[in-house]
Amino acid sequence: MNTQAGTVTLTGKVIVVAGAGSPAGQAVVRRLAAGGAHVVAADQRPHEWDDVSISPALVDLLDFDDTRNWAAEVVEVHGRVDGLIHLVGGWRGGKTFAETDLADWAFLHDTLLRTLQHTTLAFHDALSRSPQARVAIVSQPGAQHPTQGTAAYAAAKAAGEAWTLALADAFTGADSAATILVVKALLTDAMREQKPNAAFSGYTHVNELADVMAGLWDRPAAELNGKRLDLTA
């Protein structure tokens, strides 16, 4: 897979990015736009974009009706949807299982899982009409191997993986794919500047994540659908 910026041709594709205002979201949005896609960049807070191929959207993804209305508007304006990248994130955790705060679970359930459910259901029909749809989420090794202090976080991530695999089953037989990208943690240039001597072992730079996301349309659906792609090496 060629991961150099601008080499993957995404011309004509309309790709929705949820959680576009985060560092990872910004990297992915700009990478997809550089590849030729028109990107609908959704977040709960305003963000300035300096590229005409990026359409910002303010959406409350915890409101299902609002999300469905927004999805219908995206289809009406752009005529199609060829991808959905879910980057809405959050972290809550503690040191021991006994210290788990169920308020953390409620927060993570909404942030990590409910927003995924709402966006995938809202865009499902449009994605099913695309000849080459791609849906991707970012997960973490703890979804498969949780530690006691990450019970709520790992459970939410595992639920997100299960939901994505169910969508992958709906894509079976088509040239479309729902994929799980696994990272230990995400790295930015600002983090490196703050800790220049840190190794950040196993971390995935947000630009690398963006390249992998753009490359999903360059790979056969059979390599991606229902698969967990490990980026931690």
Side-chain angles (χ1 to χ4, degrees):
M1 177 180 62
N2 197 334
T3 59
Q4 295 301 310
T7 57
V8 177
T9 300
L10 298 170
T11 302
K13 290 182 170 54
V14 176
I15 303 173
V16 175
V17 178
S22 66
Q26 293 179 49
V28 170
V29 167
R30 295 193 184 281
R31 177 64 185 84
L32 294 173
H38 189 95
V39 185
V40 180
D43 205 88
Q44 62 180 351
R45 291 177 293 273
H47 185 82
E48 295 289 333
W49 301 98
D50 55 0
D51 189 328
V52 295
S53 59
I54 301 171
S55 297
L58 288 177
V59 189
D60 179 6
L61 298 179
L62 288 177
D63 185 322
F64 190 30
D65 289 337
D66 192 27
T67 305
R68 285 191 299 185
N69 291 337
W70 166 59
E73 180 182 343
V74 170
V75 175
E76 181 179 357
V77 171
H78 300 287
R80 59 188 295 160
V81 175
D82 301 289
L84 172 62
I85 307 297
H86 184 273
L87 295 172
V88 183
W91 159 257
R92 296 281 177 88
K95 292 183 178 180
T96 69
F97 183 82
E99 292 174 340
T100 299
D101 186 345
L102 290 181
D104 291 345
W105 163 251
F107 168 79
L108 293 166
H109 172 269
D110 282 352
T111 305
L112 302 181
L113 181 60
R114 187 69 75 188
T115 60
L116 175 64
Q117 292 173 325
H118 288 175
T119 51
T120 50
L121 288 172
F123 283 102
H124 174 265
D125 289 351
L127 290 165
S128 297
R129 292 191 294 269
S130 171
Q132 191 190 21
R134 297 289 184 267
V135 176
I137 69 167
V138 175
S139 191
Q140 209 262 352
Q144 301 289 315
H145 305 285
T147 58
Q148 61 173 314
T150 64
Y153 178 74
K157 283 292 189 182
E161 289 197 12
W163 186 268
T164 303
L165 294 177
L167 176 59
D169 185 60
F171 282 157
T172 300
D175 191 21
S176 296
T179 308
I180 300 161
L181 304 183
V182 181
V183 303
K184 176 182 178 181
L186 292 172
L187 177 65
T188 66
D189 289 341
M191 292 167 62
R192 281 180 170 160
E193 291 173 1
Q194 291 171 0
K195 297 182 178 180
N197 297 320
F200 294 109
S201 178
Y203 281 44
T204 302
H205 196 283
V206 292
N207 292 340
E208 179 187 349
L209 176 70
D211 282 340
V212 173
M213 290 287 191
L216 295 176
W217 282 265
D218 234 17
R219 300 176 61 174
E223 292 183 5
L224 303 171
N225 195 38
K227 302 294 195 299
R228 300 174 82 249
L229 306 184
D230 190 347
L231 307 184
T232 63

